Amino acid sequence: MSSQTPEKHTVEEYAVGILVALVTEEVAVTIMLDNEHAEIETPSSDEYVYTLGSMSGLNVVLVCLPKGEIGTSAAAAAVSTMTATFPFIKLVLLVGIAGGIPPQVRKGDVVVSVPEGQSPGVVQWDLGTRTEGGQFTRKGLLNRPPKFVLTAINALQKKHLRYGTQIPEFVEQAKRKEPRLQEMYSKSDQLQDFLFRSDYIHVHDEGDMQDYEGTAPCKSCDKTKTVQRPPRGIRVHFGGIATGNSVIRDAVLRDRLKKDLGDILTVEMEAGGMMNNCPCVVIRGICDYCDSHKDKTWQGHAAANAAALAKEFLGCLKKSSVNLDKEPSVKDIIGHIHEHVTSMESKISSGENQKILNWITNLNFGPRHSDSLHLRTPNTGEWLLASPEFKDFVTFREKTLFCPGMPGAGKSVLAAMVVQELVSRFRDSEKQICVAFVCCDFRDQANQQLDALLASLLKQLSANLRHFPNMIKVLYDKHNTQGTRPSVKDITGCLHAIAGEYSRVFVVVDGLDECPVEGGCRSKFILEIQNLQAQRPVSFFATSRNIPDITRLFQECPTLEIFATSDDVRRYLNYRMRELVVDDEIKCDTNLKEEIKTRIVEVVDGMYVDHKPLLKKSTYIFRFLLAKLHFDPLVEMSRLKDIRTALAKLATGVKAYDNAYRAVMERFQGQNTHRVNDAKKLLSLVIHAQWPLSVLELQHALAVEKGTTDLDPENIPSVKFIVSSCLGLVEIDEGSDIVRLVHYTVQEFFLRTHEEWFPNYMYWIAEICITYLGFDAFSSGPSPNEDEYIKRRTENPFLRYASCNWGYHAEAASLPTSKVMSFLEKKPQLEAASQGLQRKHCWESSSVERISEEGGHSQPL
Ligand SMILES: [Zn+2]
């Protein structure tokens, strides 16, 4: 890699996005870059890691799906996020490996998706459109690509006919540039291409269980059962691609797909996530034949070939004198790609009934469910199914099981696993049992409103009933003619009636914390399910982050904390290894990476043993938090020695978390003064506030300047940025916008040690409360009526907090009387503040009359 400083570009300059699913593919594309560009700061809501660079003279953004995530919805989410961050992307390439469908293709060949005649280029094979004879109906996915893409593909085809492909040349160049990766990406003699007959099943031997390196694939398979083919070189095919959410390892299924779907050359897993009209080209290197002999040996080479072809294609695009600037951006074309979800397989085959079901709602959680199952590694989550809580849940009727835990790593997988377990357990039951699944997604809040969520339950319950419910037909007829939508009441009415037809219904809801909060959607949804439980045999399984508003609603229910095992922590660290700065130039050896994982896991586990009673409730969050806090500082270290020293210093045992937080605070103090000052103020507010503050409240509080009589709107800071300066100790809750400490142990730590880090900040809080309340904006005294008061409160978000708590803070900080007096003397402002204080009580007792009777002022001091 060149040692020059990388070029810096702006987001506007990137016109091509490349999506890959595996790290092998990510690296393959990276080594094909002409050069790499400097990183660009992306919004904090965007958690993907991008590689930027130029390829054949075009600027490209490369993104890899998070480790372990494959399939259509992961791809849809990645493309949607990438094109939001890079809004000028005009074309997305899906580049990587896939299974080939013989006989046309061979291992190492590359397939490019091209529409031909009536064939749309990409076909989704696992949509629930199996006809009676078990055949698949062709369901085209991607429309014809726009003209500029077709022009470039034509140019590429012509070039291949005349001169052949440049793939070997590009792979050779990459090899010279990165000799270390040669073994992985180039074709060695050890790569053997056996195509076994469809009826010959793979013979397992011990080598299969180990990593593929060093073991001969199909060692025990009978080579006389292979199909004899004359040798030939690499070929590029232009044609049809099948996509689906499952990996195919079955030659019979593969052959059937070919028979049913016609000319398809390869089967992959991500293209289904692209929306119909998303300008997109799928480029797949063939690494296996979708049969039981499938292994990983060809993956590296196939990935390199696909990446090389992407480079060649971009070369043709560049040369075809297309003005990319004039093309519409993917972002504008796809709008909300999340709306595109494939339909869950339904027992209802009749077209009319299916139409009615789709009319109920187009929300569909099938793809999320199967994606989550893919994420599951063997044996994870067995503890949940084996727990007495879960056994009780399955055995006894009308029970609830609530599973709070940390976001991300485990909840969705466990929820999907629970669905699968319930479905398979009751599949052959004589009784009518239904498992309905809802997966909340904060990125899709616009579509996941109360009526849609309830409608989704109704749809699943209706679809699984032996006879299609008549009342749904009636509801449809009533609304369809007039073009109206059923009300929440209509939906719950039907839901109650149809749930009554089952002997038992399981409702599994994943990620309640991601359900929209506005309009009380989240709590109403939970209450509706609980209402249903009160009258029907409904069992409710829910996962969520640990949010007080939610846990309160499950107070009476059995609760099972989802916790992380050492393996989970290792997986987390594994994923983050690529962030190590030291790895770029010096190449962190595998031993060191192993050391990092082992040491951090050891420290985190040590905590768990020592602190069992303390951590019992939040082990899951806590393990990840500690692992994160220990890993974060290593990222920026530029010397191996520094990393080793830091690892050696990690404390175990009782002091571990104190030490971890202390280490964070030391790094915290090392940031530039400006950042530290703001962050100290924010931390103090979060630690000392009498109730959790929202982003808006904090913005106003932090904008207050000493000795002023008005808030300067230009002094309002970015709270998101300040939160990022707090190095992971503070987070913004996605749903409620509340800013809070990541864990109760952080609160506990600061209550003991805050004087050490930010002395006198209690004083500052008291001062800003008083300054804020004394602003000229309130010099007209109390608001004359409710509407005016609400308007005032909206315009001055910190008013309510300051009104209610200035007295407490003044006392706690021993604010001098002179300071307090200067405020008390401003009579109108004082009265305005008292109004705020009373309003608070007013909401607590929800009795407006009583307050207006009481009138008068109360002295908070
Ligand atoms: Zn085999």
Side-chain angles (χ1 to χ4, degrees):
M1 207 117 306
S2 121
S3 56
Q4 289 166 348
T5 349
E7 292 170 37
K8 186 134 182 110
H9 292 263
T10 60
V11 289
E12 292 82 14
E13 292 173 74
Y14 293 89
V16 177
I18 299 181
L19 174 72
V20 297
L22 306 169
V23 178
T24 315
E25 298 165 342
E26 190 182 16
V27 177
V29 174
T30 310
I31 60 175
M32 292 296 161
L33 293 174
D34 311 332
N35 51 55
E36 272 187 65
H37 296 167
E39 275 177 41
I40 291 182
E41 188 157 344
T42 53
S44 62
S45 56
D46 181 347
E47 292 184 336
Y48 291 92
V49 181
Y50 300 103
T51 305
L52 307 172
S54 72
M55 191 183 260
S56 297
L58 289 169
N59 288 345
V60 300
V61 181
L62 167 64
V63 66
C64 181
L65 297 183
K67 194 169 171 62
E69 285 189 23
I70 42 175
T72 50
S73 29
V79 167
S80 166
T81 312
M82 170 171 70
T83 53
T85 299
F86 295 88
F88 290 84
I89 287 181
K90 308 297 169 70
L91 169 68
V92 177
L93 305 184
L94 304 191
V95 180
I97 54 171
I101 300 192
Q104 291 100 317
V105 297
R106 295 194 188 175
K107 289 182 188 176
D109 284 1
V110 178
V111 177
V112 183
S113 66
V114 171
E116 259 178 301
Q118 291 305 302
S119 163
V122 178
V123 175
Q124 179 137 8
W125 67 267
D126 62 351
L127 273 183
T129 46
R130 228 165 280 167
T131 53
E132 246 166 57
Q135 284 176 336
F136 296 103
T137 337
R138 173 184 288 238
K139 166 102 182 153
L141 255 187
L142 300 182
N143 286 344
R144 279 183 93 78
K147 200 161 162 253
F148 76 94
V149 175
L150 292 174
T151 313
I153 290 178
N154 266 337
L156 182 67
Q157 276 178 299
K158 258 189 253 165
K159 187 176 158 222
H160 283 181
L161 283 174
R162 275 193 77 178
Y163 311 106
T165 174
Q166 277 181 286
I167 291 177
E169 178 190 331
F170 288 150
V171 173
E172 195 56 38
Q173 278 173 14
K175 238 164 74 178
R176 281 199 301 273
K177 208 164 76 177
E178 302 261 0
R180 207 172 65 90
L181 298 172
Q182 174 169 344
E183 210 174 293
M184 189 167 191
Y185 292 104
S186 60
K187 186 174 182 304
S188 68
D189 295 340
Q190 278 147 14
L191 287 185
Q192 285 182 301
D193 180 6
F194 297 119
L195 167 61
F196 288 93
R197 286 184 350 217
S198 300
D199 56 359
Y200 182 70
I201 308 291
H202 179 67
V203 180
H204 285 274
D205 57 49
E206 275 181 12
D208 291 354
M209 303 304 291
Q210 296 158 13
D211 214 346
Y212 59 89
E213 280 169 315
T215 61
C218 289
K219 200 168 69 187
S220 310
C221 289
D222 179 358
K223 307 297 184 311
T224 64
K225 309 284 187 184
T226 54
V227 178
Q228 293 306 308
R229 298 168 299 174
R232 70 155 167 81
I234 174 179
R235 270 187 204 166
V236 177
H237 310 261
F238 296 84
I241 285 181
T243 186
N245 273 303
S246 339
V247 177
I248 298 185
R249 291 171 182 278
D250 175 350
V252 176
L253 174 61
R254 172 198 73 199
D255 292 349
R256 210 155 83 239
L257 280 178
K258 183 171 170 57
K259 191 166 153 265
D260 292 342
L261 299 175
D263 279 333
I264 49 166
L265 301 166
T266 169
V267 181
E268 59 90 81
M269 296 182 67
E270 276 76 34
M274 301 304 104
M275 190 126 169
N276 251 348
N277 44 3
C278 167
C280 147
V281 177
V282 189
I283 299 171
R284 293 293 175 210
I286 304 303
C287 64
D288 60 60
Y289 292 121
C290 302
D291 55 13
S292 55
H293 308 276
K294 181 181 169 66
D295 66 30
K296 292 181 174 175
T297 38
W298 278 76
Q299 285 191 354
H301 181 56
N305 286 355
L309 190 91
K311 183 173 179 144
E312 201 178 0
F313 169 74
L314 291 181
C316 291
L317 183 66
K318 172 97 180 161
K319 274 195 211 128
S320 64
S321 68
V322 166
N323 186 352
L324 276 180
D325 292 345
K326 285 197 179 148
E327 297 297 331
S329 72
V330 173
K331 182 177 173 244
D332 292 341
I333 295 173
I334 61 178
H336 293 284
I337 204 161
H338 296 298
E339 287 162 18
H340 171 70
V341 278
T342 47
S343 64
M344 200 190 258
E345 198 170 346
S346 149
K347 284 185 191 169
I348 309 289
S349 54
S350 144
E352 179 63 14
N353 292 344
Q354 189 62 53
K355 195 168 105 194
I356 297 177
L357 288 175
N358 289 337
W359 167 82
I360 297 178
T361 175
N362 54 17
L363 269 191
N364 208 313
F365 303 103
R368 270 292 285 264
H369 174 233
S370 48
D371 281 0
S372 296
L373 282 180
H374 280 305
L375 287 177
R376 186 184 170 203
T377 35
N379 307 322
T380 52
E382 295 293 343
W383 63 270
L384 188 140
L385 302 183
S387 68
E389 286 87 350
F390 186 76
K391 285 181 180 158
D392 275 4
F393 172 73
V394 177
T395 318
F396 300 112
R397 292 173 152 259
E398 294 163 38
K399 268 215 157 193
T400 297
L401 184 57
F402 177 57
C403 294
M406 160 141 176
K411 282 182 290 116
S412 301
V413 178
L414 291 177
M417 204 179 79
V418 165
V419 170
Q420 195 190 33
E421 167 73 16
L422 292 172
V423 168
S424 65
R425 188 179 292 214
F426 295 108
R427 181 175 291 144
D428 301 323
S429 165
E430 300 247 305
K431 292 175 183 143
Q432 277 265 56
I433 288 173
C434 179
V435 182
F437 178 54
V438 165
C439 176
C440 303
D441 183 349
F442 72 89
R443 290 167 298 193
D444 197 25
Q445 289 201 346
N447 291 315
Q448 298 199 347
Q449 292 302 317
L450 182 63
D451 53 345
L453 292 172
L454 292 169
S456 166
L457 291 179
L458 180 62
K459 180 179 179 177
Q460 297 178 56
L461 259 60
S462 306
N464 284 286
L465 216 52
R466 285 198 187 114
H467 309 284
F468 194 76
N470 201 42
M471 66 167 61
I472 299 292
K473 282 184 186 149
V474 173
L475 188 73
Y476 172 75
D477 289 338
K478 183 179 140 200
H479 286 278
N480 192 42
T481 44
Q482 295 164 22
T484 49
R485 294 291 310 166
S487 65
V488 168
K489 211 174 145 206
D490 288 339
I491 297 171
T492 49
C494 291
L495 203 49
H496 276 256
I498 292 172
E501 304 257 321
Y502 286 96
S503 58
R504 193 164 178 197
V505 173
F506 288 95
V507 174
V508 178
V509 179
D510 178 35
L512 272 173
D513 53 296
E514 296 196 20
C515 184
V517 189
E518 293 84 41
C521 172
R522 184 164 74 193
S523 50
K524 283 180 191 157
F525 181 53
I526 298 172
L527 290 175
E528 285 298 348
I529 297 175
Q530 290 174 341
N531 278 342
L532 196 59
Q533 285 187 291
Q535 294 168 33
R536 301 290 176 210
V538 173
S539 301
F540 183 17
F541 178 95
T543 70
S544 167
R545 266 204 289 183
N546 237 325
I547 291 177
D549 279 352
I550 296 175
T551 42
R552 205 175 46 235
L553 295 170
F554 290 94
Q555 238 163 19
E556 309 288 312
C557 310
T559 298
L560 183 59
E561 176 92 17
I562 296 177
F563 62 85
T565 61
S566 307
D567 286 344
D568 294 328
V569 175
R570 281 188 85 85
R571 265 196 296 276
Y572 167 78
L573 291 169
N574 234 352
Y575 179 67
R576 292 203 54 194
M577 281 302 159
R578 58 163 110 180
E579 292 172 35
L580 291 175
V581 165
V582 80
D583 203 22
D584 244 12
E585 249 173 70
I586 305 177
K587 303 297 171 211
C588 192
D589 56 279
T590 8
N591 284 343
L592 181 65
K593 287 185 182 171
E594 202 44 50
E595 255 176 80
I596 294 175
K597 279 182 262 177
T598 310
R599 179 69 183 143
I600 293 183
V601 166
E602 186 184 291
V603 168
V604 172
D605 275 359
M607 277 296 304
Y608 180 53
V609 175
D610 289 348
H611 267 77
K612 215 162 185 174
L614 169 68
L615 299 174
K616 205 173 162 208
K617 283 235 143 179
S618 309
T619 42
Y620 193 86
I621 307 171
F622 198 65
R623 278 172 177 238
F624 277 97
L625 178 63
L626 271 186
K628 177 182 183 306
L629 293 179
H630 289 320
F631 188 79
D632 282 349
L634 307 185
V635 168
E636 288 158 19
M637 292 182 181
S638 56
R639 292 189 174 81
L640 298 179
K641 190 176 176 183
D642 293 346
I643 295 184
R644 287 220 157 82
T645 316
L647 284 178
K649 268 206 222 151
L650 294 181
T652 46
V654 188
K655 289 227 151 206
Y657 87 83
D658 249 34
N659 281 18
Y661 297 146
R662 270 181 195 283
V664 177
M665 286 311 288
E666 274 156 28
R667 278 171 63 223
F668 174 87
Q669 313 260 42
Q671 303 177 95
N672 83 47
T673 334
H674 219 74
R675 269 185 102 148
V676 173
N677 281 345
D678 269 339
K680 279 185 176 175
K681 286 177 179 172
L682 181 114
L683 269 173
S684 320
L685 275 165
V686 173
I687 295 161
H688 296 300
Q690 293 298 291
W691 65 63
L693 296 171
S694 69
V695 170
L696 274 177
E697 286 173 306
L698 285 166
Q699 277 181 331
H700 268 233
L702 292 165
V704 176
E705 293 162 284
K706 252 203 280 186
T708 53
T709 54
D710 266 317
L711 191 93
D712 180 356
E714 298 212 333
N715 200 37
I716 292 180
S718 154
V719 165
K720 269 193 184 167
F721 177 74
I722 303 177
V723 164
S724 74
S725 313
C726 296
L727 305 177
L729 294 177
V730 173
E731 64 182 7
I732 303 177
D733 180 58
E734 289 278 0
S736 61
D737 246 13
I738 295 285
V739 178
R740 57 154 180 253
L741 296 167
V742 286
H743 197 248
Y744 73 90
T745 52
V746 181
Q747 174 88 17
E748 205 257 2
F749 170 75
F750 278 125
L751 288 179
R752 268 189 290 116
T753 64
H754 67 95
E755 281 297 327
E756 206 176 307
W757 315 109
F758 8 85
N760 305 328
Y761 274 76
M762 280 296 269
Y763 191 92
W764 169 79
I765 297 176
E767 257 188 322
I768 58 159
C769 286
I770 284 178
T771 311
Y772 195 88
L773 293 173
F775 277 164
D776 290 346
F778 315 122
S779 61
S780 59
S783 307
N785 55 46
E786 189 76 18
D787 287 352
E788 284 294 315
Y789 179 73
I790 289 171
K791 184 164 169 273
R792 172 179 276 181
R793 221 188 62 202
T794 315
E795 285 167 1
N796 304 281
F798 193 54
L799 177 63
R800 192 172 146 238
Y801 184 86
S803 300
C804 296
N805 299 297
W806 71 270
Y808 161 79
H809 287 295
E811 202 180 356
S814 323
L815 210 61
T817 326
S818 60
K819 289 256 181 198
V820 182
M821 283 313 288
S822 68
F823 166 59
L824 291 178
E825 278 159 8
K826 290 183 174 174
K827 199 149 189 282
Q829 276 94 333
L830 181 64
E831 285 177 8
S834 305
Q835 185 179 34
L837 180 69
Q838 287 158 16
R839 292 288 157 164
K840 181 191 171 250
H841 297 314
C842 149
W843 294 312
E844 280 173 0
S845 62
S846 46
S847 150
V848 182
E849 289 82 358
R850 218 190 68 218
I851 294 301
S852 45
E853 272 166 30
E854 278 174 14
H857 319 300
S858 69
Q859 286 287 350
L861 257 182

